[in-house]
Amino acid sequence: MKLPVPLSLALRELRHEWLAALCFIAALVGVLAPLLLLLALKNGVIGAMVDRLVEDPANREIIAMGAESYDAAFFVRAEGWPETGFIMPATRRINAQASAVRNPATRALDRSVPLVPSAPGDPLIASDRGVLPGSVWLSSELASALDTTEGSEIEMLIGREVDGTRETARLPLTVLGVLPSDAYGRKAVFLSLQDLLAVEQFRDDLRLSADDLDRAESSPERYASFRLYARDLNDLQPLMNRLATEGITARPRVENVALLLGFRDNLNLLYGFIAVIAVLGFWASMVANLRGMVERQRVSLSLLRFLSMPHRSVARIPLAQSLVLVGIGVMLTLVLVLPGLVVLNTVFQAPSGDPVARLGMSDIGWVLALGALTGASAAIWAMRAAASISSEEVLRNG
Amino acid sequence: MAGPVVHIRNLGVRLSRNFAVVIESLDICRGERLVMDAPSGAGKSTALGLVCAAIPDSGFPDRVHQINGRDVCPGLPRESFAGPEALGFVLQTNSLVPFLTAQENLRLPLQLTTQRAQPEWERHLIETLGLRRLLGHLPSALSVGQRQRVSIARALLGMPALLLLDEPVASLDPANVGKVEHLIAQLAQEAGSAVLLASHQAQSGVFSDAPRLRCDVLEHDGVHYTLFNRPVAISQRAWS
């Protein structure tokens, strides 16, 4: 295929002035490679770390501070708030604890285990299989202490004292699953509200015998507490405001949520700032280089005009050169950076197994598009200069 | 084609506040040859630039400028009247594109106007000017004389109606001057091109008997004018 004349001349000139072209490309790679590496790191371990911090449900939890109690109507209202991600009534803290939990198979036993009411949709249990009456999830630490796994049968022991005599009720439970270690860092049983209320009722109602525990039924008029999670971090403050209008004193579990949000936003801003400064710097350098190239080629371009090459065709020569140089620069950068990322990910393995540095196809597409845009816009001054070169200059220089 | 290849009246340019070059009267027919013999600095190159419209004129009153019967108006795209079939030009130096080989330079004017050379004529030019072994070389690998020969071949490859020569042998060593002038005259005759030669050393050699453009210098209102005229009496002499 025959190339258009301006492109053909542009390529021949670049080949002839290969050293200048090489310096131009080296300057481009020098700017682009660290920028791509930074982007890859941001996409990789840094981004994953920040996302994990931002997405950790614990950071979205709101804790009630006062000694109020909450009726069923409050929970209906709270579930309807758009900022609410998950809300769960809870019992008094003193009742939300099993005397012990044991694994009959191994006889492993753990005492004073916290009980956390849960339900399908609980953000701590990232699974479709939420708790049911008689079926629970265990925190990783507790599962490890009991030497139990998903599908095991365990036994929960609830103690009370009646007239100085200690009574213990036993509740058999099926382990539906074990939470990942980073989801909940303490020992806990995640159980249905119905089971938790049964525990509370057994402790409070001395008429119930230990054998009646699994038949206890209770629907209290008011609940002593709740577990509440905002839909996302940005909803945390509006949700606090709603609670305040309900007269409820509460605080977020993580004090520095604003700092966390700021960190995420600032990281994006910081990268954007670095990228803009780097691209602007390179753009300015390209503008000057391309303009300088036109000046070096002035007599030749005038000769082309003299030989009847149209202005617009002469102007396309620096444009073609800019796009070719940027194209080669971007390709060379990718050829250097992509294998570099493989090496980086092999040498520095993240504990989570996630890649330390990552570049997606969309990132590469953006880099190519940005390169083409930068190359084309940087060539405008050079194009104008080339188009303004007259045929008489070669006569004066001849 | 009937009529002059170039028809000019009062075509001039003011190069500064007090200096202007004007071609008052010039007609050249196909096959004619004409010498512009004036002292160095008089404005010969400027006059050639005006003829081929490489230098825009200053729009003096009663200006007429026609190439191949076509009016050359200000702003007219150069490619519309200065194609390789209309004009060929040999500069004193700097006339080759440094990043193209001799052969690519040779074909460049035709390539720019998407025309093709007549193979027989191209071969003839290459053989006559002794370029065969030089075609693959870049200009930097050629001597001054070799570069001028490539430049002459390029100017004639389109068989132009008018061949403009700006001191084409000035940079050559004296031993080659006569030989190159002879080749130019021979090949221009074969191409049927009119020749306008700007030179201050055409008193001898193959162009010594060619008609001269008269060059006068006058001062008017503080402006020095260099005026080029073709005397009417010799304007109809055909080149033989």
Side-chain angles (χ1 to χ4, degrees):
Chain A
M1 192 179 69
K2 205 171 174 185
L3 294 173
V5 175
L7 178 58
S8 159
L9 290 173
L11 292 175
R12 294 303 303 274
E13 203 278 337
L14 287 179
R15 202 174 81 176
H16 188 248
E17 296 288 341
W18 62 271
L19 196 58
L22 200 65
C23 292
F24 193 107
I25 291 167
L28 173 59
V29 174
V31 172
L32 207 53
L35 206 59
L36 274 183
L37 204 59
L38 199 61
L39 177 64
L41 286 170
K42 181 184 162 292
N43 287 348
V45 70
I46 297 173
M49 190 180 73
V50 174
D51 286 349
R52 204 163 294 144
L53 279 173
V54 169
E55 286 165 13
D56 185 352
N59 294 329
R60 290 187 274 125
E61 187 174 0
I62 290 173
I63 298 167
M65 298 292 290
E68 298 95 341
S69 59
Y70 313 96
D71 60 13
F74 164 74
F75 289 101
V76 171
R77 281 198 306 281
E79 271 187 343
W81 295 335
E83 298 88 358
T84 303
F86 179 77
I87 187 161
M88 191 73 222
T91 59
R92 291 193 311 275
R93 194 173 292 271
I94 194 169
N95 283 340
Q97 184 165 301
S99 304
V101 180
R102 67 186 286 264
N103 181 352
T106 61
R107 297 188 177 178
L109 181 137
D110 206 88
R111 295 184 191 281
S112 303
V113 177
L115 302 176
V116 181
S118 180
D122 188 337
L124 293 182
I125 301 173
S127 169
D128 296 336
R129 295 178 297 124
V131 297
L132 298 166
S135 299
V136 297
W137 279 68
L138 303 183
S139 69
S140 170
E141 205 172 325
L142 180 62
S144 177
L146 295 178
D147 195 16
T148 185
T149 56
E150 180 183 326
S152 304
E153 297 294 332
I154 58 170
E155 199 174 48
M156 185 161 69
L157 310 177
I158 311 297
R160 71 177 180 187
E161 276 195 13
V162 180
D163 298 331
T165 308
R166 185 152 185 88
E167 290 181 359
T168 301
R170 296 169 189 276
L171 185 63
L173 298 167
T174 303
V175 178
L176 274 177
V178 177
L179 265 63
S181 57
D182 56 353
Y184 198 83
R186 302 177 297 276
K187 288 175 183 171
V189 175
F190 289 78
L191 74 176
S192 68
L193 181 63
Q194 189 179 330
D195 285 344
L196 182 63
L197 291 174
V199 170
E200 185 178 51
Q201 195 177 2
F202 172 71
R203 283 206 171 109
D204 290 347
D205 189 349
L206 300 181
R207 292 170 300 177
L208 280 176
S209 71
D211 297 333
D212 290 335
L213 181 63
D214 56 349
R215 289 193 296 275
E217 282 184 13
S218 175
S219 54
E221 289 180 2
R222 301 185 75 82
Y223 293 92
S225 184
F226 57 76
R227 281 176 62 212
L228 174 60
Y229 295 85
R231 195 173 293 277
D232 65 42
L233 281 182
N234 292 311
D235 289 328
L236 207 49
Q237 192 53 49
L239 199 50
M240 297 273 294
N241 295 342
R242 282 194 189 273
L243 290 174
T245 58
E246 294 270 346
I248 297 169
T249 311
R251 67 167 177 83
R253 176 178 287 279
V254 177
E255 290 295 342
N256 293 322
V257 169
L259 197 68
L260 190 62
L261 277 173
F263 181 58
R264 179 186 63 176
D265 295 343
N266 287 339
L267 189 70
N268 289 334
L269 202 65
L270 182 69
Y271 179 77
F273 184 70
I274 292 171
V276 165
I277 291 292
V279 169
L280 267 182
F282 181 70
W283 184 83
S285 138
M286 271 180 79
V287 167
N289 271 317
L290 289 167
R291 183 66 184 83
M293 280 167 74
V294 169
E295 217 48 41
R296 282 201 307 276
Q297 301 165 23
R298 200 164 185 94
V299 175
S300 298
L301 296 176
S302 174
L303 180 62
L304 292 172
R305 280 292 301 135
F306 188 79
L307 296 174
S308 298
M309 189 174 196
H311 282 295
R312 61 181 182 283
S313 299
V314 174
R316 282 176 194 153
I317 292 175
L319 174 65
Q321 288 181 329
S322 176
L323 293 177
V324 166
L325 289 172
V326 168
I328 294 173
V330 170
M331 289 303 168
L332 190 60
T333 304
L334 292 175
V335 164
L336 292 172
V337 167
L338 292 179
L341 295 186
V342 174
V343 173
L344 204 64
N345 287 330
T346 309
V347 175
F348 302 101
Q349 188 82 43
S352 60
D354 293 333
V356 171
R358 183 165 50 84
L359 275 183
M361 286 308 289
S362 63
D363 296 318
I364 293 170
W366 272 109
V367 168
L368 287 172
L370 195 66
L373 189 68
T374 308
S377 58
I380 290 174
W381 189 26
M383 289 170 72
R384 288 173 66 98
S388 70
I389 290 175
S390 69
S391 51
E392 65 183 291
E393 288 188 32
V394 74
L395 285 177
R396 291 205 202 101
N397 288 287
Chain B
M1 187 195 336
V5 172
V6 173
H7 173 59
I8 289 174
R9 297 291 180 270
N10 295 321
L11 184 70
V13 60
R14 285 191 72 147
L15 295 171
S16 65
R17 285 180 62 188
N18 55 7
F19 182 53
V21 175
V22 182
I23 304 170
E24 283 193 297
S25 165
L26 174 63
D27 291 278
I28 313 177
C29 291
R30 190 138 196 157
E32 275 192 295
R33 59 179 174 166
L34 199 58
V35 173
M36 192 187 286
D37 191 359
S40 188
K44 296 190 297 292
S45 296
T46 302
L48 285 184
L50 284 169
V51 171
C52 67
I55 295 175
D57 69 279
S58 299
F60 289 166
D62 303 323
R63 164 203 183 279
V64 178
H65 188 191
Q66 292 179 344
I67 295 176
N68 268 342
R70 176 160 193 184
D71 283 320
V72 178
C73 308
L76 193 66
R78 183 163 172 72
E79 53 276 19
S80 67
F81 61 85
E85 75 293 345
L87 291 174
F89 206 116
V90 180
L91 299 164
Q92 192 173 335
T93 54
N94 274 342
S95 59
L96 299 182
V97 179
F99 50 85
L100 297 180
T101 63
Q103 184 163 44
E104 288 164 337
N105 265 290
L106 176 64
R107 292 176 175 172
L108 185 59
L110 291 170
Q111 189 192 358
L112 291 175
T113 51
T114 63
Q115 298 178 55
R116 292 181 72 87
Q118 291 179 18
E120 287 291 314
W121 176 239
E122 183 179 14
R123 205 172 303 126
H124 178 60
L125 284 173
I126 289 168
E127 292 301 333
T128 308
L129 290 164
L131 301 176
R132 176 155 302 285
R133 285 188 299 171
L134 309 177
L135 293 175
H137 291 69
L138 289 172
S140 57
L142 303 177
S143 69
V144 175
Q146 288 169 333
R147 272 181 257 168
Q148 273 311 72
R149 280 189 275 145
V150 175
S151 187
I152 292 163
R154 184 183 65 192
L156 286 164
L157 188 61
M159 304 184 96
L162 176 63
L163 178 63
L164 299 168
L165 305 161
D166 187 8
E167 304 276 13
V169 294
S171 53
L172 301 183
D173 58 273
N176 284 320
V177 167
K179 187 180 169 188
V180 170
E181 279 191 340
H182 179 78
L183 285 172
I184 292 172
Q186 177 203 329
L187 291 168
Q189 185 182 24
E190 290 175 18
S193 306
V195 176
L196 178 56
L197 168 69
S199 174
H200 61 273
Q201 53 186 143
Q203 292 85 1
S204 61
V206 71
F207 288 101
S208 61
D209 64 341
R212 260 62 180 162
L213 269 185
R214 207 176 70 216
C215 175
D216 301 305
V217 178
L218 64 84
E219 188 175 339
H220 177 69
D221 284 346
V223 180
H224 291 269
Y225 290 90
T226 298
L227 306 173
F228 291 99
N229 273 290
R230 182 169 192 183
V232 176
I234 57 170
S235 65
Q236 297 306 311
R237 284 177 61 184
W239 183 37
S240 60

